[in-house]
Amino acid sequence: MKINIVGVGKVTTALSYNLKDKVDIGYILSSDLNKAKKLSNELGKGIPVTYNDNFKFEDIVLVGINDSALPDTVDLIKNFVSEGNTVIHFSGFHSSTIFPKEWNPASIHPNCPVIGKETNFKDVVFGIEGNTKIAKEIVNLLGGKYFEIPSESKVLYHLSAVLMSNFPLALVYLAEKLYKNANLSNKMFLEVMESLLKTTIENVKKNGTLNSITGPIYREDVDIVNVEMEIFCSTFPELCNLFDGFIQIILSMKEEKETESS
């Protein structure tokens, strides 16, 4: 298998490092030739090119362009794509259908933070769709796992990933602020954070989401909830509605659980 890289970013860098000893690497295409050269030198493989060069891709094309610019990629690379290529992007939001059918397109979305060449995809779960035959081969080479998503479900799938990944990180950030305000050590914060998040995940896997809710809101300890809401709103006044919103979500979860049990 030969892969070609379009766009030198965190995802394509991570993928190329994880695949470099398992595949051939063809062209590394970037608007910034220095970025392409740097990646090629680090990998010890690949031919750095820009959009002004004359060449044709062979075999697999991995497109690492951000979501907002991805639809415009068709016009950017159409002169470099030839018959028999499979063109793959890594967006969780867009489906493979943004690329022409004759490109045998696929999308492969890693459900993990990708920070660059340090990222290891072993055991990471990928959402795949489109030309799943090639997508499965690549995920297997990465040591990951996969499940297939209908193309029309990509947006809801991606929104769910954002809720599970990005939003909890924002809440962890706020929790860390409270530890600092309380003069509690970062070491203690990290240990408690790990314990709470790991236990929550284990409970959901074992018992389901509704059967895992706990805490003062679920118990309807009104006095405690009011005191802590006041502290939250004084600490983060611009986010006061956020706290109230989570109260409503947890109460609705409790109601749904009680309805299911009755």
Side-chain angles (χ1 to χ4, degrees), residues 172 175-176 178-179 184-201:
V172 168
E176 186 177 31
L178 293 172
Y179 260 68
L184 298 172
S185 71
N186 185 249
K187 180 177 183 293
M188 183 189 298
F189 168 75
L190 294 175
E191 289 178 355
V192 172
M193 175 199 66
E194 182 180 19
S195 176
L196 284 171
L197 294 180
K198 282 178 67 175
T199 303
T200 300
I201 292 169

Side-chain angles (χ1 to χ4, degrees), residues 22-42:
K22 302 171 183 178
V23 301
D24 293 328
I25 296 179
Y27 294 103
I28 301 175
L29 171 60
S30 174
S31 57
D32 185 337
L33 185 59
N34 287 329
K35 285 186 177 181
K37 286 180 176 178
K38 182 175 184 293
L39 181 58
S40 174
N41 289 335
E42 290 176 353

Side-chain angles (χ1 to χ4, degrees), residues 1-16:
M1 178 186 292
K2 175 177 285 187
I3 65 168
N4 304 271
I5 304 296
V6 175
V8 178
K10 290 180 180 179
V11 175
T12 47
T13 297
L15 288 163
S16 58

